[in-house]
Amino acid sequence: MENVHLAVEEEDLYSGYNDYNPTFDSEELENDVGFQQAVRTSHGRRPPMTAKFPGTAIGGRPLVSSFGSRIPMASSMGRPMTGAVQDGAARPMTAVRAAGYSSSLMRGSTFDPLGQSKGPAPPLEAKNEDTAEEKIKILEKKVNDLIEESCMAQSIGAFQLALEKAKEAGRKERALIRQREASGNTEHINLDLTYSGEVIKQGSNMTTVAASISTQLHRQYEQRKAVLLNLANQYANNEMYPEALNSYHVIVKNKMFTNAGRLKVNMANIYFEQKNYPKAIKFYRMALDQISNTHKELRIKIMQNIGVVFVRLGQYSDAITSFEHIMTESPNIKTGFNLILCYYAVGDRERMKKAFQKLISVPLGIDDEDKYIPASDDPSSNMVIEAIKNDKLHQMERDLKVLAEKYIMTAAKLIAPAIETSFASGFDWCVDMVKCSQYVELANDLEINKAITYLRQKDFNQAVETLKTFEKKDSRVKSAAATNLSFLYFLEKDYDQADRYADLAMNADRYNPAALINKGNTVFVKKDYEKAAEFYKEALRNDSSCTEALFNLGLSYERLNRLEEGLDCFLKLHSILRSSAEVMYQLAHLYEQLGDPQQAIEWLMQVISATPTDPHVLAKLGKLHDDEGDKSQAFQYYSESFRYFPSNIDVIEWLGAYYIETQFCEKAIQYFERATLIQPNYVKWQLIVASCYRRSGNYQKALETYKEIHRRFPENVECLRFLVRLSTDMGLKEVQEYATKLKKVEKMKELREQRVKSGRENSARGRREGSTGSAENAKAEPQPEPKQFSPLLDSDSGRSSSSSSKGERLSAKMRSLPGSNEPYEASSPKELDASYVDPLGPQMDRPKTGAKKPADDDDFADEDLGDELLPE
C-alpha cells in the first residue's frame, strides 16, 4: 500500500494548459518590433527586448502568469522552453489552448471536448460603424469599388462614364485622407509626411515604429496610386490630354510610387497623339532608361514606338536603326513590315529584298492546323479537339496568321515594282521567295494580285493571260481566277465569256459566293430575273453576310414587280450597311413605286445626309415634292441640284418652266440658253428662248432669235409661224416672204406625211395578206418614245418639228398658256387672233414728255356722272 498513490494526492499533469502566454500569440506579430526587424534584415541577430505587449509600458515590468510566478519575456526569435522544468519556473506550455482534457475526467465528469453542454454561443456583437477605423475601412471600400466600376465602364467603351467614376473615386480618396488625418492614430499617418525608415523618439528610449506601420502605409500608397493612375487613363481615353498629363506628373514626381518610370510610356503616347513628336521621343527614351534589361519585351515595344515616331518625323535612317535592332533581338511581323516601308521610302532595293526575306522568316509561334483534325476514333480525344477548335486561343492564332499574311501581301505589292525593272519581274521574285517560306499558299494569291495590278494599269490582255494560267491548278485557286475572269468579261460586256468562266468557277468551288453572284449577273442581263434570284439566294446560303448578293436579289425582285420582297431585302441590307447611300436610295425608289411618297422623301433625306452634294438625289427630291404640290421645296432642291450639276437637262427644263409659270420669263432665259449650249441641234430650246424674249416684251431680240433659228432650221414650221406673226405685228416688209416660205414648208410636210401614210398602209396590207401570225405582228406603226419629263415647249408651238420633236407630248404647264394649240393657217376654222397677250401683265405706260393731251379731251365727256360718283 505504500506504493499506491491516490490520484487526488498526485500533482495535476494537465494544469496550466488553459493559461495564456503572449509569446505564442501570432496575431500580435505585426506589432512585435523585434520580429518585424528580424524579418526585414538579412541576419538573425537577437534584437533587444523592447517588444511592447498589451498591459505593459515601454520600459515596464513583465507579465505575471496565473500561477503568480513571473514569466521571463523572451523575444519572438528566442526558442521557447520545452525541456526540463527550470528552477522556480512553471511547466512549459506546448499549446496556446488546452485540448479539452482535464483531471476532473477521473472524478466522474462527462467528457465534453467541444463544450456542447454549455448551450448555444452568444450572438455576435454588432459592428460599431461610428469608430474612426470603421469609417476609414468603409471609405477605402468605396474607393476600390469606384475604381473597379470605372475600369469596367472603360472595358465596354463607356469612356465618359468611366471618367465620372474615376473623378468620384478621387473625391472619395481625398475624403479618406482627411479622415485619416482627423483620426490622429499613428497607424493612419499622413502619407505625404512620412514613410518607412523614420525613428520616433519618446523620452530616452528609441522606438522604431516605421516598420510596424509599413504594411499599412504601402497599402495606402498603392490605393492612392491606383486612383491617380485610373484617373489619368480615363482623361487620356476621353482625349483630355492636358489633364491626363497633369495626373501622370503627380505620380511620376512622387518617388514613393514604385515603377513610376513606366508611366512615361503613357505620357509619350499622349504626346504622340498631340503630334508633339520630339517630346514623345524624349519620354520614350526616359522610360527606356528606367526599365531594366530583364523586361525585354517591354523595352522592345518602346523601341518600336520610337521607330514609328521617327517615321512620322521623316527621319527614316533613325527609324531603320530602331527597327533593325528589334529584328535582331526579337523579330516580329509588324516591325519587319515597318522596316520594309522605311527601306522603300529611302529607295534601297537590296535592303528591301533582305527585309522581305526576314519578314517571311519571322516565326509566328502557332501550332499547325493539323493539330485540330481528329486523328483517331477515340471519342474523348475528339471531344477535346472539338472543344479547342474554336476557343479563344485558336481564334487568336488565326488572327495572327491572317495579320501576317496581310502584311506579307501588302509588302510584296509595294516593293514588287521597285525591286526590279518591271513590276512583273518583281512579283515573280516575291513569288519565288514566298514559295520557299512557310507561307507557300500565298504564292497563288500573289499571282492573282499580279493580274489585278495589270488591270489597274488597264492592260486587260496581260491580266487575262495571267488569270488563265490558273485553270490547271487546284480548285480554290482556279475558282478565284475564273471568278476574276468572269468579272472582267462582264465589264467588257462579253456576257458569253463571262457566263463560261462563271460556270468554271462554280464547278471548281460551288460554295464560292462570288462565282454564284457573277453567274446570277450574267443571267440578270439576259432578263431572266427568276433564275438570277435563285443564284443570289444560293450565294446567300453559302455566305449570309454577302452584301452584293442581297443587293442584287433586291434588284431582281424589283424587276419582277415583287416590291415587298425587294423592300425586305434592302431593309436587311440597311441593317448591315447603315451608311450606304445606294441602299437608302433603293429603299426610297421602292417606296415611291409602292405609292408612299412621304417614306420615299424620308429615305432620300437620309441619302442627302450621307452624300449632301449628289445632284441626282436632289433632283429626285425636287420631283417628289413637285408631285406632292410643294413647289417651294421642289424649287429649292432643283436649284441645289443645278448648282452641283448644271448640265442636267431635266433640271434645267423644270427650273425654266417654274419661272415661266411664275411669270418671270427673263430669269427662265438663262436656263434655256444653257440647254441650247448642251443640245445645240435641238430646236426646241431655241424656240423657247425666243418665246421668252417675246413674252418679256423684247420683240427685237425675239425676232433676231427666230431669224437665227430659221437660218439653221429652214424647214421648221413653228419658227416660220412666229416670224410671220412678229413681222405682221411689227409691220415689217418680210411678212410676205415668210408667209410664202411657210406655205411651201407646210405643203412639203403634207406630201411627206401622205407618202409615209401610204407606205404604212401598203406594208400593213402586205403583212395581212402574207402573214399567219397574231395581230400583234400586223401592228407596224412605230410608237413614240416615252420621255420622263418634257414640260417646256413654247406656248405658241402646238406641233413639233418633223426633225426634232415629233412624238413628244407637251407639258401641262405649256398647254395651259394662251394660244398653245392654235395652228397658224389661213384655212383654219378658228378665227386667228394675232394679238399678243403678255402673261406677265400689262406693261407700265411710258411717261410722255412730248405732245400734250388736248385740254378738252376728257375721258368722261360722253358719260353722265351719277350722283353716287360726285363728292359729298
Side-chain angles (χ1 to χ4, degrees):
M1 289 297 293
E2 59 264 19
N3 296 326
V4 177
H5 300 281
L6 296 178
V8 292
E9 296 178 358
E10 192 177 39
E11 184 182 359
D12 189 0
L13 297 177
Y14 299 98
S15 63
Y17 280 96
N18 291 322
D19 296 334
Y20 173 76
N21 191 336
T23 305
F24 301 93
D25 188 1
S26 61
E27 296 178 357
E28 292 294 326
L29 289 179
E30 184 179 354
N31 297 328
D32 190 344
V33 178
F35 179 77
Q36 292 291 337
Q37 186 175 355
V39 171
R40 293 177 60 201
T41 55
S42 59
H43 51 85
R45 294 185 297 107
R46 176 176 296 184
M49 297 177 57
T50 58
K52 178 183 175 183
F53 297 99
T56 65
I58 293 181
R61 54 194 177 94
L63 294 174
V64 181
S65 69
S66 57
F67 294 98
S69 60
R70 298 182 182 275
I71 299 176
M73 295 293 293
S75 171
S76 58
M77 292 295 296
R79 179 181 177 87
M81 296 175 295
T82 57
V85 177
Q86 304 285 332
D87 293 336
R91 181 179 177 83
M93 297 178 291
T94 57
V96 178
R97 296 261 180 205
Y101 299 100
S102 176
S103 60
S104 60
L105 179 63
M106 296 182 179
R107 294 191 289 269
S109 62
T110 305
F111 178 70
D112 188 14
L114 300 179
Q116 297 179 0
S117 60
K118 297 179 181 180
L124 297 175
E125 295 182 2
K127 184 182 293 186
N128 187 6
E129 297 183 357
D130 295 335
T131 62
E133 291 81 0
E134 289 299 326
K135 291 181 179 179
I136 290 173
K137 288 181 180 179
I138 291 172
L139 281 175
E140 286 180 353
K141 187 176 184 305
K142 287 182 179 179
V143 171
N144 292 330
D145 291 342
L146 286 170
I147 293 174
E148 184 177 353
E149 291 174 7
S150 176
C151 295
M152 293 299 294
Q154 176 189 349
S155 65
I156 61 175
F159 297 128
Q160 188 64 35
L161 178 61
L163 179 60
E164 294 298 327
K165 294 291 184 182
K167 288 181 178 179
E168 189 175 354
R171 291 191 291 268
K172 293 289 185 184
E173 198 268 341
R174 288 190 292 272
L176 176 61
I177 292 176
R178 291 193 296 270
Q179 184 69 27
R180 284 171 178 156
E181 291 176 351
S183 65
N185 196 335
T186 56
E187 293 183 359
H188 308 294
I189 201 164
N190 189 356
L191 303 186
D192 296 329
L193 298 178
T194 58
Y195 192 58
S196 59
E198 290 194 10
V199 178
I200 298 177
K201 296 181 181 180
Q202 181 173 355
S204 60
N205 299 323
M206 297 287 293
T207 308
T208 307
V209 298
S212 65
I213 62 171
S214 61
T215 304
Q216 181 75 10
L217 290 175
H218 178 71
R219 180 168 57 85
Q220 294 172 8
Y221 264 110
E222 288 300 322
Q223 188 180 53
R224 175 65 173 161
K225 180 180 177 181
V227 171
L228 287 175
L229 179 59
N230 181 57
L231 183 61
N233 289 339
Q234 303 312 326
Y235 276 134
N237 290 334
N238 287 272
E239 299 182 0
M240 301 170 67
Y241 297 131
E243 293 84 352
L245 288 173
N246 291 337
S247 299
Y248 282 129
H249 276 299
V250 172
I251 303 174
V252 171
K253 288 181 179 179
N254 197 332
K255 304 299 182 183
M256 319 222 20
F257 293 129
T258 58
N259 299 323
R262 297 187 184 183
L263 298 182
K264 288 185 170 63
V265 178
N266 294 9
M267 300 172 72
N269 292 339
I270 292 177
Y271 286 122
F272 181 84
E273 292 295 332
Q274 292 179 332
K275 298 184 179 180
N276 190 352
Y277 299 127
K279 209 155 189 177
I281 292 177
K282 174 185 175 182
F283 273 83
Y284 279 134
R285 285 176 171 169
M286 289 171 62
L288 201 62
D289 294 339
Q290 295 182 11
I291 295 174
S292 62
N293 293 328
T294 56
H295 300 89
K296 182 180 177 181
E297 229 176 284
L298 182 58
R299 290 177 62 86
I300 290 295
K301 291 180 179 179
I302 295 174
M303 292 190 67
Q304 187 170 347
N305 288 357
I306 293 174
V308 172
V309 178
F310 277 129
V311 170
R312 292 295 182 92
L313 288 172
Q315 302 177 12
Y316 298 111
S317 58
D318 295 329
I320 287 171
T321 303
S322 298
F323 292 143
E324 282 181 344
H325 177 75
I326 296 173
M327 292 300 289
T328 304
E329 296 292 329
S330 177
N332 60 81
I333 290 291
K334 187 177 292 186
T335 304
F337 180 72
N338 290 338
L339 185 59
I340 291 175
L341 293 180
C342 292
Y343 285 142
Y344 180 82
V346 299
D348 195 334
R349 292 186 177 183
E350 293 301 322
R351 287 190 172 184
M352 272 190 271
K353 290 183 177 181
K354 292 180 181 178
F356 186 77
Q357 291 173 345
K358 287 182 180 179
L359 178 65
I360 60 179
S361 62
V362 171
L364 295 180
I366 60 177
D367 295 329
D368 192 8
E369 288 293 329
D370 296 338
K371 169 186 174 182
Y372 301 100
I373 300 175
S376 63
D377 296 333
D378 185 8
S380 59
S381 61
N382 291 341
M383 288 178 63
V384 172
I385 292 173
E386 192 66 28
I388 66 174
K389 186 182 294 184
N390 292 315
D391 62 352
K392 293 291 184 65
L393 180 59
H394 191 202
Q395 291 176 7
M396 186 185 71
E397 291 177 349
R398 283 200 298 261
D399 294 341
L400 180 60
K401 187 175 180 181
V402 169
L403 181 65
E405 292 177 353
K406 176 186 174 183
Y407 282 139
I408 292 171
M409 292 287 293
T410 307
K413 289 187 287 185
L414 178 69
I415 68 173
I419 58 178
E420 298 292 344
T421 56
S422 65
F423 88 93
S425 56
F427 261 108
D428 293 338
W429 182 87
C430 293
V431 169
D432 294 338
M433 291 297 104
V434 169
K435 285 181 178 178
C436 301
S437 68
Q438 54 183 328
Y439 304 99
V440 182
E441 63 275 6
L442 286 182
N444 293 324
D445 295 335
L446 280 174
E447 289 282 356
I448 294 178
N449 274 280
K450 178 181 175 182
I452 295 173
T453 307
Y454 277 125
L455 286 179
R456 291 198 178 103
Q457 296 181 352
K458 297 184 179 180
D459 192 349
F460 296 102
N461 295 328
Q462 285 291 338
V464 171
E465 291 299 324
T466 305
L467 290 172
K468 284 183 178 179
T469 59
F470 291 95
E471 292 186 12
K472 296 181 180 180
K473 293 192 177 182
D474 62 337
S475 59
R476 186 185 68 85
V477 180
K478 181 195 289 187
S479 179
T483 301
N484 290 333
L485 282 170
S486 175
F487 177 69
L488 282 177
Y489 284 119
F490 187 85
L491 292 180
E492 293 179 348
K493 297 186 178 180
D494 189 352
Y495 300 127
D496 294 333
Q497 287 291 335
D499 187 55
R500 173 175 169 268
Y501 280 101
D503 290 334
L504 184 62
M506 288 170 55
N507 294 333
D509 184 7
R510 186 72 184 186
Y511 296 99
N512 184 359
L516 292 166
I517 292 172
N518 285 346
K519 179 64 177 177
N521 291 344
T522 58
V523 177
F524 187 93
V525 295
K526 296 176 183 178
K527 299 184 179 181
D528 190 355
Y529 303 122
E530 286 284 357
K531 195 172 182 181
E534 292 300 323
F535 284 112
Y536 297 142
K537 288 178 183 177
E538 186 175 354
L540 284 172
R541 286 193 293 269
N542 294 338
D543 183 6
S544 60
S545 63
C546 185
T547 55
E548 294 85 357
L550 193 56
F551 188 92
N552 293 347
L553 181 61
L555 292 180
S556 300
Y557 284 142
E558 182 183 350
R559 297 294 192 280
L560 292 169
N561 204 26
R562 293 155 63 176
L563 302 180
E564 293 291 344
E565 296 180 45
L567 189 64
D568 291 339
C569 290
F570 285 113
L571 286 174
K572 290 177 184 177
L573 192 58
H574 178 66
S575 63
I576 300 172
L577 306 174
R578 303 294 298 179
S579 58
S580 174
E582 294 85 357
V583 176
M584 291 186 283
Y585 184 85
Q586 290 297 329
L587 286 167
H589 182 60
L590 285 170
Y591 275 117
E592 182 186 7
Q593 289 181 299
L594 288 169
D596 192 349
Q598 292 300 324
Q599 281 289 336
I601 290 173
E602 288 182 9
W603 282 106
L604 286 176
M605 292 298 293
Q606 294 189 36
V607 177
I608 288 299
S609 65
T611 56
T613 60
D614 191 327
H616 300 289
V617 177
L618 290 167
K620 187 73 172 178
L621 270 171
K623 181 179 180 301
L624 288 174
H625 282 291
D626 186 28
D627 295 341
E628 290 294 303
D630 192 349
K631 296 290 184 182
S632 60
Q633 282 291 334
F635 174 73
Q636 177 184 350
Y637 287 116
Y638 273 121
S639 299
E640 286 293 308
S641 177
F642 178 78
R643 185 163 67 90
Y644 291 119
F645 183 55
S647 300
N648 191 333
I649 290 294
D650 294 333
V651 174
I652 292 172
E653 196 173 14
W654 191 94
L655 288 171
Y658 176 79
Y659 281 117
I660 289 178
E661 186 179 358
T662 54
Q663 298 185 0
F664 288 98
C665 297
E666 299 88 346
K667 293 185 178 180
I669 292 174
Q670 60 175 332
Y671 294 102
F672 293 120
E673 285 181 343
R674 182 176 291 274
T676 303
L677 295 175
I678 297 171
Q679 295 179 345
N681 296 323
Y682 197 33
V683 70
K684 166 186 173 181
W685 310 123
Q686 301 180 38
L687 289 172
I688 296 176
V689 170
S691 179
C692 288
Y693 280 125
R694 184 171 58 83
R695 291 177 178 278
S696 60
N698 194 346
Y699 298 106
Q700 187 62 36
K701 189 69 175 176
L703 181 63
E704 293 175 1
T705 306
Y706 281 125
K707 286 181 179 181
E708 180 64 24
I709 296 171
H710 177 64
R711 187 184 64 81
R712 295 187 59 189
F713 305 97
E715 295 184 358
N716 188 272
V717 178
E718 285 79 6
C719 180
L720 287 170
R721 287 174 181 169
F722 286 120
L723 280 171
V724 170
R725 177 175 297 180
L726 277 178
S727 300
T728 303
D729 293 342
M730 298 175 70
L732 301 177
K733 297 178 181 180
E734 295 93 344
V735 176
Q736 190 61 37
E737 179 185 353
Y738 292 135
T740 305
K741 289 182 180 179
L742 178 60
K743 290 179 181 179
K744 290 181 181 180
V745 171
E746 287 179 343
K747 286 181 181 180
M748 291 173 59
K749 183 178 179 181
E750 289 177 1
L751 291 174
R752 192 181 297 114
E753 288 178 353
Q754 288 178 2
R755 286 196 298 267
V756 172
K757 185 177 181 181
S758 61
R760 289 174 182 171
E761 290 176 354
N762 293 335
S763 61
R765 188 182 303 112
R767 280 195 297 271
R768 283 197 300 270
E769 291 175 357
S771 174
T772 58
S774 62
E776 294 180 358
N777 296 329
K779 188 175 182 181
E781 183 177 356
Q783 298 296 322
E785 183 180 353
K787 203 175 178 186
Q788 290 183 351
F789 189 51
S790 178
L792 286 182
L793 284 176
D794 190 76
S795 60
D796 293 323
S797 59
R799 298 180 182 176
S800 303
S801 65
S802 60
S803 61
S804 62
S805 57
K806 184 178 180 180
E808 294 179 353
R809 53 188 181 83
L810 298 174
S811 169
K813 297 183 180 68
M814 297 289 93
R815 289 199 301 268
S816 63
L817 294 175
S820 61
N821 291 318
E822 296 177 5
Y824 190 81
E825 295 180 0
S827 60
S828 175
K830 289 187 177 181
E831 182 181 355
L832 178 61
D833 184 9
S835 61
Y836 174 74
V837 179
D838 192 353
L840 300 180
Q843 293 184 351
M844 295 179 62
D845 293 335
R846 182 174 179 274
K848 297 178 175 61
T849 58
K852 294 184 178 181
K853 186 177 180 180
D856 56 351
D857 188 4
D858 189 0
D859 291 337
F860 300 97
D862 298 332
E863 297 183 11
D864 294 331
L865 296 177
D867 295 338
E868 67 276 3
L869 296 179
L870 296 175
E872 296 179 1

